[in-house]
Amino acid sequence: MTALPHKQLPSRGSVVLALIAVYLIWGSTYLGLRFGLEGFPPFLLNGFRFLMAGGALALFLLTRGKLKATRAQVWNAARVGTVMLVGGVGLVTLSQSLGIGSGVAATAVAVIPVWAAVVSGLFGDWPQRRELLGLGLGLAGVVLLALEGDFRSSPTGLALIVIAPILWSFGSVWGTRLDLPDPLASTSIQLGTAGVVMTAIGFLVGEGIVSPPSTTSWIALIYLAVMGSLVAFTAFVYLMNKVRPALATSYAYVNPIVAVALGLSLGNETITGAIFVALPLILAAVALVASSARTGRQTRMVKDRGVPRAQEEAA
């Protein structure tokens, strides 16, 4: 792999700011969804959010002549965005509308890297032993979460919060095997498509805004569109192109902690002892999967290059 020229290397300050963005902003979006749901129904909330974000990003790229994609790339990005955002984010929001707390939802969704390992196996890259251990711990954490009061009172919410990360994981892995445009163009297409689909679903199932949303709900919607869908995702794209994937995806360790803290403090949410056992199990599962994936990539790279491992590690 050719090293980046020195001028292209990221500054430490830029990386730190990008990490703070994905850690704090994505961790806070669960509480933002809860506040947004006070004035908007679930599908319309996300539909409006993604239309705003996707439209703004597309306009930005158009003015700079950077919104370029073939028909096949547009179709691929649209399908990936539908699976990830409609299936993933949409079902999480729907579960929260059924009474699932923001901290509990974030903890359940933190198992995404574990499901991603399973989905990768379906595409031929089966989990290693450490990943299988992580899968077991992650599933145990989700089972313990089922004891949480929110889930006992809403079996449908439990089902949705289990399915949502599976769909997000499938879309993430599937997208790496499709021909997509550059990351920002792909993001704008995914957001725009998800916005159209979710808005259409909302109207088809009879969603509507029966009374004017409160100022809090409007602020939540704008926050989700600007900070959650534009700033944080752009920061994530930057990290994926500038630092090691293990560091870029480390938000999965922090988001549940941020969401639980905000839910308890600002959201006046209550949780039982189950989450305090489930959270460490899920985070340990994510750590095992992330470290195993990193080791696997390094091993394959060394094998493909024919470089002795000691020499590779010293490079």
Side-chain angles (χ1 to χ4, degrees):
M1 181 181 296
T2 304
L4 289 172
H6 178 70
K7 65 179 181 179
Q8 294 181 346
L9 294 176
S11 67
R12 180 173 298 180
S14 298
V15 171
V16 170
L17 288 176
L19 286 171
I20 291 174
V22 294
Y23 286 173
L24 298 183
I25 295 174
W26 272 353
S28 67
T29 53
Y30 294 91
L31 186 60
L33 287 171
R34 207 203 81 179
F35 286 142
L37 286 169
E38 294 176 0
F40 298 93
F43 284 106
L44 291 184
L45 171 64
N46 278 316
F48 296 160
R49 163 195 180 184
F50 293 140
L51 283 174
M52 292 167 60
L57 182 55
L59 181 61
F60 173 81
L61 294 175
L62 277 172
T63 58
R64 285 156 178 77
K66 295 183 178 180
L67 187 58
K68 300 177 180 179
T70 65
R71 286 186 179 182
Q73 289 175 330
V74 170
W75 172 240
N76 289 338
R79 290 187 294 164
V80 171
T82 300
V83 173
M84 291 180 63
L85 297 173
V86 178
V89 179
L91 295 187
V92 169
T93 308
L94 190 57
S95 75
Q96 288 192 243
S97 73
L98 296 174
I100 303 301
S102 60
V104 178
T107 303
V109 173
V111 79
I112 279 177
V114 179
W115 287 120
V118 176
V119 175
S120 295
L122 298 178
F123 283 100
D125 186 10
W126 291 103
Q128 301 175 10
R129 186 175 303 174
R130 192 183 303 178
E131 289 175 313
L132 290 174
L133 177 59
L135 174 60
L137 287 177
L139 291 177
V142 172
V143 170
L144 282 174
L145 272 183
L147 303 176
E148 175 67 31
D150 290 351
F151 290 136
R152 289 200 302 269
S153 62
S154 178
T156 302
L158 171 60
L160 293 175
I161 210 67
V162 170
I163 296 171
I166 296 175
L167 292 175
W168 178 278
S169 301
F170 176 79
S172 300
V173 176
W174 185 37
T176 64
R177 287 160 172 77
L178 296 175
D179 178 26
L180 298 175
D182 71 80
L184 287 179
S186 179
T187 298
S188 67
I189 295 169
Q190 291 180 40
L191 288 171
T193 302
V196 171
V197 173
M198 296 190 81
T199 301
I201 292 175
F203 286 128
L204 286 173
V205 300
E207 287 187 351
I209 302 174
V210 295
S211 60
S214 66
T215 300
T216 300
S217 295
W218 278 111
I219 292 174
L221 172 61
I222 295 171
Y223 179 83
L224 290 168
V226 176
M227 301 301 291
S229 298
L230 283 178
V231 176
F233 198 88
T234 301
F236 178 66
V237 171
Y238 171 82
L239 289 169
M240 287 295 291
N241 284 276
K242 295 295 183 179
V243 302
R244 297 170 64 89
L247 179 59
T249 57
S250 59
Y251 70 88
Y253 298 82
V254 184
N255 285 174
I257 300 171
V258 174
V260 169
L262 291 176
L264 291 174
S265 57
L266 301 180
N268 296 319
E269 296 178 359
T270 58
I271 56 177
T272 67
I275 196 173
F276 294 108
V277 179
L279 181 57
L281 282 176
I282 290 176
L283 295 185
V286 173
L288 283 169
V289 172
S291 62
S292 180
R294 181 174 65 251
T295 302
R297 281 193 299 270
Q298 291 173 336
T299 301
R300 286 193 295 271
M301 288 171 64
V302 172
K303 182 178 179 181
D304 292 342
R305 295 182 195 173
V307 181
R309 187 170 184 81
Q311 179 181 342
E312 177 73 14
E313 292 177 346

